[in-house]
Amino acid sequence: MSKKLINHPDDCVDEALEGLVMTHLGLRILGSQRVVIHESGRAPNGKIAVVAGGGGGHEPYAAGFVGQGLLTAAVVGQVFSSPPAGSILAAIRAARSSENDGVLLIVINYTGDRLNFGLALERARMEDIRVKMIICDDDCALSSPFKAVGRRGLAGSLFLMKTAGALAERGDPLDSIAHVIEEMKQSIGTIGASLTSCSVPGGEVMFRLEDDEVELGLGIHGEAGVKRIQMTTASKIIEEMLDRMTDSDSSSFFALPSGCSVALIVNNLGGLSIMEIIPGSEGNPLLRRAFDDFIGNERSPIVRSSCGRRLEELVVNFTGCTNVRSIMAPSTLS
């Protein structure tokens, strides 16, 4: 059994949410639900609410992104399990403005999440609540065209949440925001590389890698990637990742035209040290510099970048990159 600094596997999600609201003023838990919402509750009149969520174990996603200009509420399930439709519906009811300006759901593409968020959406519409749902499916690793569920949702959802939250804060209407986010997600691509496996509280590791192996293209629940490669330098691993993303023979091919503007997230899913992912000479992150070697200098300028823990996988040495081609006005990038 893997080691975790917890009290009991059945309580770890609830205790993590309690700790989150204790250490972040302005957040509260919605009654007995695993829903984190701003203490002010509803979105102000004239503004839509933005709600996201998924299984526990991915912190800070999504509860850690509740706040002004981001999410109005976040729904959390048990570790690696979708939250129940009843909790999602409770979040929708609590987050919507009193004038029913609308609620936008942002959901990463996994079967359980799609089913439960979809059921909650239908139930909310039966109560005359205006709701739309966006599915984030940004994985560029798997190339099979026969998967009915489509591409997996990964860290690209962070861009969608931030953009939707900013547009909601500005007062844009629901239909307009949903249209922008649907367009934006077409220009998001994500791929990851893992040095070790992950494990859930109370369980064993989900897969095993040899000391000289790297898993390329795994999912956020420890799902298998597209292949295993030999351990090598960070620069060579990133080159392999980008070659896979931009392979035109793959059905999940991510087009990166020369001259387009790129926003980059280097997402640590829990296992990398700060030394590996953040510091570099002259204040530039180490991995950002490696990406610059293969994107910024040869193809497209990186105009925004962020490194850190955004969406975790319970102790995985994981380096995930998310490239977003700019299709929006320069004012939106700012």
Side-chain angles (χ1 to χ4, degrees), residues 61-121:
Y61 180 91
F65 297 107
V66 173
Q68 185 176 7
L70 281 163
L71 298 180
T72 315
V75 199
V76 185
Q78 279 286 15
V79 173
F80 289 5
S81 299
S82 174
S87 295
I88 300 166
L89 181 60
I92 293 171
R93 290 169 175 162
R96 67 164 179 156
S97 69
S98 58
E99 293 184 354
N100 197 20
D101 294 291
V103 179
L104 182 67
L105 304 178
I106 297 178
V107 183
I108 56 177
N109 192 29
Y110 287 93
T111 303
D113 292 320
R114 292 191 65 156
L115 288 174
N116 288 352
F117 274 86
L119 179 58
L121 177 146

Side-chain angles (χ1 to χ4, degrees), residues 23-63:
T23 53
H24 292 79
L25 297 178
L27 300 182
R28 65 181 175 89
I29 296 173
L30 184 65
S32 61
Q33 305 286 353
R34 290 193 182 100
V35 175
V36 174
I37 192 168
H38 194 269
E39 62 181 3
S40 59
R42 297 183 182 277
N45 287 334
K47 297 182 180 180
I48 76 157
V50 182
V51 177
H58 301 305
E59 294 75 19
Y61 180 91

